[in-house]
Amino acid sequence: GMEREYVMYTPSCANLQPLPLVFMFHGWQELAQVYAGIHGGWSDGFADVAEEKCFLTVWPQGTFDQLGRLPHASSWSAGGCSTKDNSDHFCDAEAVRRTSGAYCASSCGVDSCAACAWCACVDDVGFVLSLVDTLTQSLLVDAQHVYAAGCSNGAMLVYDLAADERSASRFAAFAADAGLPHRGHGCVPRLPVSLLHLHAHNDQVIPLDGTPAHTGGWVYERLAEMQSALVDAAGCGVSMRGSGWAPLSMLNGTRGA
């Protein structure tokens, strides 16, 4: 019975033909409206691309919850960040208490709060699938061309969508920007999936090499290992190990893989 929100852009070409649908998932503590560029967010100008290329774009809103000292913060329950198991150590618990305090979400229950958890306890994969069903039933959507992209905490949700058997086959492709599942929570899809990952080589918030983050000591899966697992699961017959990085010239100092 929880009400959820989203922002949607419908191009002028709508109602002429079934359109591709792109989901864009924001990062931790962010707002869908800001991420959509309504107030100059990271996706500013993306609606222009949607208009030019003729596709629907949806920016869903994460769950608002009491996260420790943060009274009204939004998050996605993904990549292990809502663990209730205190033996699930993917952070320096003492560093978390010292630098920021525990992000105990009210939706997880006070008695079930784990030191390393930092997001709400909800079924966000279920929410996204419900939204896919609602939009494909009410709009002219090309169900064979539904895509999921996200940044940071939103990218963690993208990895969950790609791995979850309920959702993997519902999307044509995935894109993750600067986000990885926590160590021990990088599930490999059973179905072959197409996934693009973009990441700054020197990212210290979610390091791509499995080293602890600069604050709190949170640890994430190594990108190279996630890539190799995806390649092996898809049966591509090639390995990403040792392939290096392909620089993206349009993003200064950023490398993509």
Side-chain angles (χ1 to χ4, degrees), residues 43-58:
S43 302
D44 196 12
F46 197 80
D48 294 335
V49 178
E51 180 65 32
E52 178 185 354
K53 301 298 183 181
C54 192
F55 60 86
L56 296 160
T57 309
V58 172

Side-chain angles (χ1 to χ4, degrees), residues 178 198-214 223 245 251-256:
L198 302 173
H199 216 114
H201 189 66
N202 60 350
D203 190 341
Q204 297 300 306
V205 177
I206 300 182
L208 54 83
D209 60 358
T211 57
H214 72 290
L223 176 57
W245 296 90
L251 297 175
N252 184 28
T254 303
R255 294 177 179 270

Side-chain angles (χ1 to χ4, degrees), residues 127-139:
F127 160 59
V128 174
L129 288 176
S130 177
L131 189 51
V132 171
D133 289 339
T134 297
L135 295 175
T136 53
Q137 292 169 9
S138 60
L139 300 170

Side-chain angles (χ1 to χ4, degrees), residues 176 195-199 223 227 240 243-246 248 255-257:
L195 191 148
L196 169 70
H197 189 105
L198 302 173
H199 216 114
L223 176 57
Q227 288 178 315
M240 295 296 293
S243 64
W245 296 90
L248 300 179
R255 294 177 179 270

